[in-house]
């Protein structure tokens, strides 16, 4: 089967095209593969393409600013695309505007600065991601408090993974009153080898559990700092 036919088949299978296979693009592409999603990876670097050969459904060397090259690869047939080119802002913007012109319904583009991201937003890209900035903010919250992990769900809401403090240890969550007193909710807990379970009002958190707490950022973080 010709290469273009094989790639068109991938596009039909609800696959994702990932353009730019640096650290971010490669990690994203491999994670998609691990989760069972087919990936067409594109990069202009031959060595990189060689090194990923066999690990992605299809990986090809091409200059993504070249419209004809993208069309030949069937990129216009995909429903989902990620532009993971960072430092070469010109290539990132040219590639993204080609994908928009193709009418790809869902495009994620990686921005390395606010200005870069603003251009994407003006172009009409629905999903702009700022990996360095977001990770920096996340680590800041980890450094500040006792949280084991921290996920910002939105600008004003977070989930904190933490060891249980004295307010939740040994009491039924119903009786802990943390929702009204602290504005947070215990979503889930992990106990020994049993793994994670959803928490409910009858759950009694034990000393060695790990818990997931959700709430407005300031409140979730403040709760995470109580011992
Ligand atoms: P990371 O932090 O993910 O490693 P980066 O921002 O440091 O990424 P960049 O060099 O900006 O890395 O881009 C990531 C990848 O995009 C590189 O592997 C590069 O070869 C590829 N790339 C850059 N321009 C193009 C292009 N026009 N066509 C295809 N691939 C490109």
């Amino acid at each position: 089967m010709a290469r273009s036919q094989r790639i068109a088949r991938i596009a039909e299978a609800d696959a994702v095209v990932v353009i730019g296979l640096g650290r971010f693009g490669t990690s994203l592409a491999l994670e998609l593969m691990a989760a069972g999603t087919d990936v067409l990876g594109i990069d202009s670097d031959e060595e990189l393409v060689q090194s990923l050969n066999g690990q992605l459904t299809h990986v090809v060397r091409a200059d993504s600013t070249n419209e004809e090259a993208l069309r030949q690869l069937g990129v216009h047939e995909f429903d989902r695309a990620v532009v993971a080119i960072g430092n070469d802002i010109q290539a990132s913007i040219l590639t993204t505007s080609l994908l928009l012109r193709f009418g790809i319904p869902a495009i994620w583009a990686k921005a390395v600065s606010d200005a870069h991201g603003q251009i994407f937003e003006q172009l009409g890209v629905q999903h702009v991601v700022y990996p360095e900035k977001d990770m920096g903010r996340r680590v800041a919250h980890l450094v500040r408090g006792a949280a084991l992990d921290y996920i910002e769900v939105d600008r004003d809401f977070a989930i904190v993974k933490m060891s249980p403090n004295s307010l939740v240890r040994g009491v039924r969550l119903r009786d802990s009153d943390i929702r009204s007193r602290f504005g947070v909710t215990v979503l889930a807990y992990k106990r020994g080898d049993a793994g994670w379970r959803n928490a409910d009002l009858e759950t009694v958190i034990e000393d060695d559990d790990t818990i997931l707490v959700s709430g407005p950022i300031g409140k979730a973080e403040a709760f995470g700092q109580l011992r």
Side-chain angles (χ1 to χ4, degrees), residues 59-135:
V59 55
V60 285
R61 184 186 161 274
D63 175 2
S64 60
T65 63
N66 180 334
E67 177 169 357
E68 197 40 45
L70 292 189
R71 282 196 184 276
Q72 275 179 13
L73 291 170
V75 169
H76 56 291
E77 313 257 345
F78 280 74
D79 287 335
R80 294 180 290 177
V82 180
V83 181
I85 300 171
N87 293 320
D88 188 343
I89 292 183
Q90 185 170 331
S92 153
I93 290 167
L94 282 173
T95 302
T96 307
S97 52
L98 281 176
L99 301 183
L100 286 164
R101 193 158 356 124
F102 290 162
I104 294 182
I107 300 172
W108 281 259
K110 165 181 147 166
V112 292
S113 65
D114 288 342
H116 191 184
Q118 270 163 21
I119 295 172
F120 284 145
E121 273 159 33
Q122 280 161 8
L123 286 172
V125 178
Q126 312 96 317
H127 309 285
V128 182
V129 291
Y130 301 84
E132 279 93 358
K133 194 172 151 190
D134 289 351
M135 185 53 88

Side-chain angles (χ1 to χ4, degrees), residues 20-221:
L21 298 167
R23 288 159 300 182
F24 176 76
T26 294
S27 142
L28 183 138
L30 292 174
E31 190 68 17
L32 284 169
M33 291 294 294
T37 301
D38 279 323
V39 173
L40 166 62
I42 298 176
D43 200 289
S44 52
D45 183 330
E46 178 65 35
E47 252 179 66
L48 207 53
V49 167
Q50 288 290 337
S51 70
L52 285 167
N53 198 12
Q55 297 190 70
L56 306 182
T57 316
H58 215 88
V59 55
V60 285
R61 184 186 161 274
D63 175 2
S64 60
T65 63
N66 180 334
E67 177 169 357
E68 197 40 45
L70 292 189
R71 282 196 184 276
Q72 275 179 13
L73 291 170
V75 169
H76 56 291
E77 313 257 345
F78 280 74
D79 287 335
R80 294 180 290 177
V82 180
V83 181
I85 300 171
N87 293 320
D88 188 343
I89 292 183
Q90 185 170 331
S92 153
I93 290 167
L94 282 173
T95 302
T96 307
S97 52
L98 281 176
L99 301 183
L100 286 164
R101 193 158 356 124
F102 290 162
I104 294 182
I107 300 172
W108 281 259
K110 165 181 147 166
V112 292
S113 65
D114 288 342
H116 191 184
Q118 270 163 21
I119 295 172
F120 284 145
E121 273 159 33
Q122 280 161 8
L123 286 172
V125 178
Q126 312 96 317
H127 309 285
V128 182
V129 291
Y130 301 84
E132 279 93 358
K133 194 172 151 190
D134 289 351
M135 185 53 88
R137 289 182 38 197
R138 182 165 166 215
V139 172
H141 288 280
L142 295 179
V143 170
R144 251 173 66 77
L148 302 171
D149 207 347
Y150 174 93
I151 300 161
E152 214 171 274
V153 177
D154 218 328
R155 287 296 300 193
D156 55 359
F157 204 83
I159 295 177
V160 179
K161 179 175 156 192
M162 57 182 278
S163 297
N165 57 31
S166 58
L167 294 150
V168 288
R169 284 197 301 258
V171 282
R172 282 192 314 165
L173 287 175
R174 180 193 296 284
D175 304 325
S176 71
D177 235 7
I178 56 168
R179 205 177 278 181
S180 53
R181 283 172 65 204
F182 299 94
V184 297
T185 301
V186 177
L187 298 175
Y189 63 102
K190 186 180 179 204
R191 183 163 300 158
D193 295 335
W196 285 98
R197 299 218 182 115
N198 288 320
D200 59 36
L201 290 173
E202 303 306 317
T203 302
V204 178
I205 299 296
E206 296 179 1
D207 291 9
D208 294 334
D209 290 351
T210 303
I211 57 174
L212 282 187
V213 175
S214 69
I217 284 179
K219 292 187 173 172
E221 201 178 21

